[in-house]
Amino acid sequence: MPCLLRAENVFKRFGGVHALNDVSVSLNRGEVHALMGENGAGKSTLGKILAGAIPADSGRIFLNDRLVTIANPHDAQRLGISIIFQELDLFPHLSIAENMVIGNLNYKEPLLVRPASMEQFCRPFLNQVGLDLPSNRLLKSLPIGKMQQVAIARALSMNVRLIVMDESTSSLTDEAVDQLFQLIRKLKASGVTIAYVSHKLDEVFKICDRVTVLRDGEFVATHAIEKIEQRDLIRLMVGREITEQRCEPASSSGDTLLSVKRLTTRRIEDISFDLHRGEVLGIAGLVGAGRTGLGAALFGLDRIVRGEIELNGKPYRARHPRDAMRRGLGLLPEDRKIEGLMMQMSVDENASLSILARLLRWIFVRRRQERAETEQIYRETSLKSPSGRVPVNSLSGGNQQKVLLARWLLVNPEVLFLDDPTRGVDVGAKQDIYGIIERMSHQGKGILLVSSELPELLRCCQRILVLQDGQLRGTVNVAETTQEEIMELATHVPDPKRDARDDRNNHVVRSRN
Amino acid sequence: MNRRFAELVPIGRSLLGLAAIVIAAILLSPHDRDGWPIFLSVGNWTNIVRQMSEIGILALGMTLVILSAGIDLSVGSILALGATLTAKILMECEFGIGIWPQISVAIALAVLASAMTGFLSGLVIAQLSVQPFVVTLAAMIGFRGLARWLSQNSNIGLSFDDQHISGHFTSIFANPYVVIGIFLATSLLFSIVLSRTVFGRYVRALGDNLTAAKYAGLPIKRMQVAVYTIAGAMAGLAGVIHCAQNRQGNPNDGMAYELDAIAAVVIGGTSLQGGKGTIFGTVVGTLTLGVITNILGLKGVDENVKWMAKAIIIVLAVLLQQPETFQKLMNSVRRLRGVNVV
């Protein structure tokens, strides 16, 4: 296959960190080329540089053997290069059509906006991606999978030759992922090249032709996908062997720690379960199934409509997070950048934020004790940071997550709700996080673990609650269940003939306990 | 790069703007009879710091507010309220408790009332979740009205009689060294509060990421109320000094002072997004603003042209603050040297 794009000796620094250090890569026409690596390996940075989203410090890029300059997104657009970000850079309050024509050099804008002319322009591309919605629908009314299709249609309307997809499947349902893959195969067949930035092995093996591995900002290797084993690829990414082991939580014969009865908020309905001391209770379900809603109800973020909660045998109700924390319940939020970390503050300041009241001498922070306590936790979580004083945004995703975990380990609550703690975290950090969960379990804490990855739940938990549509569809025992059974519960469609309300009252909790 | 050195970079950047302007001022300054630039004379520097102290004190409170991702447009009006109250109590009240106790009462009441006005703004912002810009805009109008109502919209002049209570008051608070001393002492206090206390941490944390602060269980509303209360109290303190320096309590004074205070904070490298900034930067920003005003005055530049020049210099000073500016400069240098920059 002829080479479409070749990047040579690309360098990029952020502050003192070498995000890319002399990286070269070449992409063939009509191939799906994976850019892989752990968090902080530089794969996203490389994708963004190819698409002109950020400029490189130095390096040369050839398109069809011609030296080109890609200093900004417009340059990229003229050359036929588009990027689809993880957090789709679309405008939620504009319509599908407006999102497609805005800043689009191929759309000759009339003086006044004419919906008909936009529709005429957009339709062929919307058809191409298989989106048959009226083009005047507001973008925010679409599910995330469809938004992504709009983003791809937009790219196609720019005569795209190369699409960079940055972690595109991270917030998609399995069904939407399948649809995306079908679309990718179609694009590939029509000669479009795709640079697929990801750290998900199964996806890369499913959809990609070749893979380039980066590690710590440096080029490691490029391989044809059929010529490499999954295990070797992991070894290239992390630079060492990773042996996956089962979490061994303490036996859950302990007393009941948290007891929830018929808990109802605007996001969840009639959820009941018990959590024992030392237990790691899994919570499975698709995005929007009420997993985060359950955490919000316990942590005092959502108002409780009805239902009872007992913590340690005493009635529990939190009015706000501060309240929850005081009573011994913690929550590690789903999105560490938005809900978790103060990105400009230092690692130490982030870790100790919730225990400052304990580090008080009159009004001052006892810094020596702060250092001692945080150091101790960093060792336990094997957090890697050049110093406790660097801003937390200079760390990789995995280490950022560990800072957030460190904050909760310092608070040391009885019950900790972990909302997708390994999301966007590299393989090595994942193992460390499992280790932390295991240790907390042995200390007799109760852990509620939400995860989008079923193998993770099967590995860490004894029991798993399966949620769908804000309701508990069943409780499964890990020893006697399969991924398929959980998926079935999580995607189970209620019989449409029966009245939904009726169905809700009669639904049977499947429990094999 | 050496870590210690890396930590010093932002501080260096905020000093760079000041240094550039000081050098420009030395070059431009008219000379005295001995050929020495007037700009560098001790008297002139005393003047700069004294003149800037009011703005500087406002800017300290403003730094806390901006760090918490808020803004306070009402401090100019609160300053007028503080000045008016001070003058009113000194000139129109007779407590019969002696001179110094009455001066103390005047100052305490002015600062306390100003703190209360800030407290009120903070309460509305925190409890009713109205945007700080809107609340303090309303407060700017309302408290100006209050100051004018208290004084029947008239200027309350202090007595020039040395034996009168107000003479004692001005002999202390119009003294440039006392004024400068108050500014430096409060700066030091704020700097310690911000870097060493739990309160300072919390303020930066909630300015950096409000949602995360909530999830971390911080007392957000209490912090917000406290920040605006402190900004109000500082405006009151600036009002007391303003009253002494001008020997009057004029309810129409302090117009647009809040904008100078914001400018000083921003020149000092504090981000309007909140979460990032230092008191040291604000002090440097205040001095930068003062030096600009001073040198334009020494050169006898027309008042209107002065404003225009100030505008340009403010933008340049902030530009120098930004790391991206350096990046761009470095890239152009590299381009000149023939390295291909993508």
Side-chain angles (χ1 to χ4, degrees):
Chain A
M1 266 190 286
C3 173
L4 174 74
L5 179 139
R6 204 167 75 241
E8 287 181 355
N9 312 103
V10 178
F11 286 84
K12 178 75 192 177
R13 279 174 59 151
F14 292 112
V17 182
H18 284 278
L20 290 176
N21 198 358
D22 197 9
V23 169
S24 303
V25 63
S26 84
L27 309 175
N28 291 339
R29 191 167 302 135
E31 77 167 344
V32 181
H33 193 120
L35 298 177
M36 290 201 81
E38 294 189 290
N39 281 46
K43 54 190 193 302
S44 287
T45 308
L46 182 59
K48 284 176 188 164
I49 284 172
L50 295 182
I54 49 175
D57 292 342
S58 68
R60 298 193 295 176
I61 296 178
F62 298 88
L63 195 72
N64 289 327
D65 287 326
R66 204 163 50 82
L67 180 65
V68 293
T69 308
I70 310 178
N72 55 51
H74 257 182
D75 286 350
Q77 202 190 124
R78 275 189 216 97
L79 296 168
I81 303 173
S82 272
I83 183 162
I84 293 174
F85 288 106
Q86 190 174 357
E87 328 73 22
L88 306 167
D89 57 337
L90 298 171
F91 303 91
H93 296 282
L94 296 184
S95 71
I96 294 177
E98 283 165 330
N99 266 291
M100 284 182 63
V101 302
I102 204 160
N104 193 327
L105 300 174
N106 281 352
Y107 180 68
K108 299 285 171 296
E109 205 160 348
L111 199 57
L112 294 172
V113 176
R114 291 214 320 274
S117 100
M118 286 196 294
E119 160 72 24
Q120 198 190 355
F121 174 80
C122 299
R123 188 48 59 192
F125 304 110
L126 290 174
N127 288 340
Q128 208 176 333
V129 300
L131 197 67
D132 54 350
L133 290 171
S135 66
N136 60 2
R137 273 276 291 272
L138 283 191
L139 196 85
K140 63 174 181 176
S141 70
L142 305 180
I144 186 115
K146 300 251 188 262
M147 288 188 193
Q148 204 160 54
Q149 287 175 320
V150 174
I152 295 171
R154 175 182 155 86
L156 290 175
S157 73
M158 295 169 173
N159 298 334
V160 76
R161 287 187 279 185
L162 167 64
I163 301 181
V164 179
M165 292 191 175
D166 189 2
E167 305 278 6
S168 285
T169 57
S170 61
S171 43
L172 292 190
T173 59
D174 284 356
E175 197 188 345
V177 170
D178 284 342
Q179 278 176 7
L180 178 70
F181 284 1
Q182 275 172 27
L183 185 54
I184 289 176
R185 288 192 190 100
K186 233 169 93 182
L187 293 173
K188 189 176 131 179
S190 64
V192 175
T193 305
I194 290 168
Y196 193 85
V197 178
S198 178
H199 58 238
K200 292 191 180 159
L201 287 163
D202 51 336
E203 290 181 358
V204 167
F205 276 96
K206 208 186 258 177
I207 195 81
C208 297
D209 302 308
R210 288 199 301 162
V211 52
T212 292
V213 178
L214 300 179
R215 186 168 67 228
D216 298 332
E218 297 191 13
F219 174 85
V220 176
T222 297
H223 284 286
I225 206 79
E226 64 272 9
K227 298 221 174 97
I228 187 165
E229 291 285 318
Q230 189 150 336
R231 217 188 42 219
D232 297 329
L233 193 53
I234 295 177
R235 196 174 37 79
L236 288 178
M237 280 165 62
V238 300
R240 62 192 151 100
E241 287 289 343
I242 292 271
T243 47
E244 297 207 337
Q245 65 216 25
R246 228 193 102 79
C247 255
E248 286 303 333
S251 69
S252 64
S253 58
D255 324 331
T256 303
L257 186 57
L258 181 77
S259 162
V260 173
K261 290 199 183 66
R262 300 184 68 86
L263 187 62
T264 303
T265 68
R266 66 186 168 86
R267 286 195 268 185
I268 55 170
E269 202 177 337
D270 271 345
I271 291 190
S272 308
F273 64 89
D274 282 342
L275 173 72
H276 305 275
R277 271 191 189 284
E279 184 178 12
V280 182
L281 181 60
I283 298 170
L286 305 176
V287 173
R291 312 178 309 185
T292 302
L294 178 57
L298 295 172
F299 198 51
L301 289 161
D302 279 358
R303 204 176 60 83
I304 291 170
V305 178
R306 73 190 135 81
E308 281 138 47
I309 311 172
E310 281 186 1
L311 181 63
N312 261 333
K314 277 180 264 158
Y316 165 96
R317 187 162 286 200
R319 282 170 290 124
H320 43 77
R322 202 172 165 66
D323 213 15
M325 228 160 101
R326 233 181 268 137
R327 287 147 178 267
L329 193 141
L331 177 136
L332 182 98
E334 188 178 14
D335 191 321
R336 63 178 164 268
K337 282 193 178 133
I338 294 174
E339 298 151 339
L341 296 168
M342 305 353 190
M343 296 307 277
Q344 304 173 66
M345 292 174 76
S346 75
V347 172
D348 279 357
E349 286 173 330
N350 268 286
S352 68
L353 191 63
S354 294
I355 55 152
L356 288 180
R358 193 166 89 203
L359 296 175
L360 213 56
R361 185 195 295 126
W362 188 39
I363 58 169
F364 297 105
V365 182
R366 280 189 292 185
R367 296 225 275 203
R368 195 165 302 158
Q369 194 188 341
E370 180 187 25
R371 273 244 55 105
E373 291 207 19
T374 50
E375 285 285 0
Q376 163 88 26
I377 295 287
Y378 297 161
R379 266 197 301 279
E380 282 177 27
T381 55
S382 35
L383 176 94
K384 282 186 228 57
S385 168
S387 120
R389 300 174 70 179
V390 299
V392 77
N393 63 8
S394 67
L395 302 185
S396 71
N399 280 315
Q400 286 180 4
Q401 189 73 333
K402 285 180 188 172
V403 174
L404 202 50
L405 261 171
R407 183 189 290 168
W408 281 110
L409 291 178
L410 284 165
V411 173
N412 199 14
E414 287 288 287
V415 176
L416 186 55
F417 189 100
L418 300 170
D419 199 345
D420 225 345
T422 61
R423 185 196 203 195
V425 159
D426 53 68
V427 193
K430 259 184 195 176
Q431 295 298 326
D432 292 337
I433 290 173
Y434 298 150
I436 298 167
I437 293 174
E438 197 179 281
R439 230 172 9 251
M440 288 189 74
S441 145
H442 283 287
Q443 287 164 7
K445 310 287 177 197
I447 295 187
L448 290 156
L449 175 66
V450 171
S451 177
S452 298
E453 292 173 32
L454 286 179
E456 183 169 295
L457 290 180
L458 292 172
R459 181 189 308 171
C460 294
C461 314
Q462 292 108 334
R463 286 191 307 150
I464 300 173
L465 307 176
V466 188
L467 304 184
Q468 189 215 349
D469 254 352
Q471 297 172 32
L472 185 63
R473 289 291 176 212
T475 308
V476 295
N477 204 326
V478 166
E480 307 158 16
T481 193
T482 57
Q483 287 196 42
E484 288 70 30
E485 189 193 19
I486 297 172
M487 274 322 286
E488 201 191 301
L489 284 171
T491 55
H492 154 82
V493 183
D495 191 345
K497 278 177 213 153
R498 283 162 67 190
D499 180 29
R501 195 173 301 275
D502 190 44
D503 184 51
R504 214 168 279 159
N505 291 337
N506 295 337
H507 96 265
V508 187
V509 175
R510 283 183 54 175
S511 175
R512 302 223 211 133
N513 257 5
Chain B
M1 203 187 326
N2 185 317
R3 176 155 39 88
R4 272 254 166 261
F5 180 70
E7 279 166 14
L8 288 175
V9 167
I11 295 173
R13 265 204 297 271
S14 59
L15 274 174
L16 204 69
L18 180 59
I21 282 159
V22 166
I23 290 168
I26 293 171
L27 295 176
L28 290 171
S29 167
H31 297 258
D32 61 14
R33 272 169 306 176
D34 305 330
W36 186 250
I38 296 175
F39 173 77
L40 284 179
S41 68
V42 175
N44 189 52
W45 270 95
T46 313
N47 250 334
I48 294 176
V49 184
R50 183 183 61 84
Q51 282 164 358
M52 286 317 290
S53 287
E54 283 171 36
I55 297 295
I57 291 171
L58 292 181
L60 292 177
M62 189 70 78
T63 308
L64 284 190
V65 173
I66 290 179
L67 271 176
S68 78
I71 193 86
D72 192 345
L73 299 178
S74 65
V75 291
S77 294
I78 300 179
L79 178 141
L81 182 68
T84 309
L85 266 177
T86 312
K88 201 174 167 71
I89 297 167
L90 288 178
M91 297 306 294
E92 296 173 11
C93 300
E94 192 53 68
F95 299 139
I97 50 174
I99 289 174
W100 291 111
Q102 183 166 349
I103 290 177
S104 312
V105 168
I107 294 171
L109 278 180
V111 173
L112 201 68
S114 305
M116 285 306 296
T117 58
F119 177 76
L120 199 64
S121 298
L123 216 55
V124 175
I125 290 165
Q127 294 296 339
L128 306 179
S129 311
V130 187
Q131 284 167 340
F133 188 96
V134 178
V135 175
T136 59
L137 179 71
M140 174 175 97
I141 299 165
F143 295 135
R144 176 73 64 187
L146 179 62
R148 287 162 61 123
W149 179 73
L150 279 176
S151 61
Q152 257 97 60
N153 198 17
S154 67
N155 182 5
I156 305 174
L158 296 190
S159 163
F160 279 86
D161 177 2
D162 278 351
Q163 296 313 306
H164 187 267
I165 180 167
S166 62
H168 288 92
F169 171 67
T170 48
S171 73
I172 298 286
F173 289 97
N175 179 327
Y177 296 104
V178 172
V179 174
I180 294 170
I182 292 176
F183 174 46
L184 293 182
T186 45
S187 301
L188 190 66
L189 181 72
F190 270 63
S191 174
I192 292 171
V193 164
L194 206 55
S195 58
R196 295 295 170 93
T197 66
V198 176
F199 174 73
R201 287 268 179 97
Y202 281 180
V203 167
R204 280 191 293 134
L206 87 118
D208 194 328
N209 188 341
L210 187 65
T211 314
K214 186 173 162 194
Y215 276 74
L218 304 195
I220 294 170
K221 293 185 174 177
R222 242 184 292 157
M223 288 301 124
Q224 281 175 329
V225 173
V227 158
Y228 288 92
T229 308
I230 290 171
M234 293 305 279
L237 180 62
V240 172
I241 292 170
H242 187 83
C243 175
Q245 296 215 45
N246 295 281
R247 291 177 182 273
Q248 63 177 21
N250 187 341
N252 293 311
D253 274 359
M255 292 273 186
Y257 273 31
E258 60 277 346
L259 302 183
D260 273 350
I262 295 171
V265 173
V266 173
I267 292 172
T270 297
S271 157
L272 280 176
Q273 316 277 331
K276 192 179 129 248
T278 59
I279 292 295
F280 181 77
T282 296
V283 173
V284 170
T286 307
L287 289 179
T288 309
L289 213 53
V291 171
I292 296 169
T293 318
N294 180 260
I295 189 63
L296 293 173
L298 284 181
K299 292 293 281 183
V301 176
D302 172 65
E303 184 73 16
N304 305 314
V305 179
K306 211 158 123 181
W307 281 23
M308 294 188 264
K310 208 164 135 182
I312 294 167
I313 297 170
I314 288 175
V315 174
L316 285 180
V318 172
L319 213 57
L320 267 181
Q321 284 292 318
Q322 294 173 345
E324 297 85 45
T325 313
F326 280 85
Q327 187 88 48
K328 276 181 196 152
L329 275 174
M330 292 301 290
N331 278 351
S332 5
V333 169
R334 271 195 219 139
R335 258 197 209 99
L336 284 175
R337 284 167 45 200
V339 181
N340 189 351
V341 180
V342 180

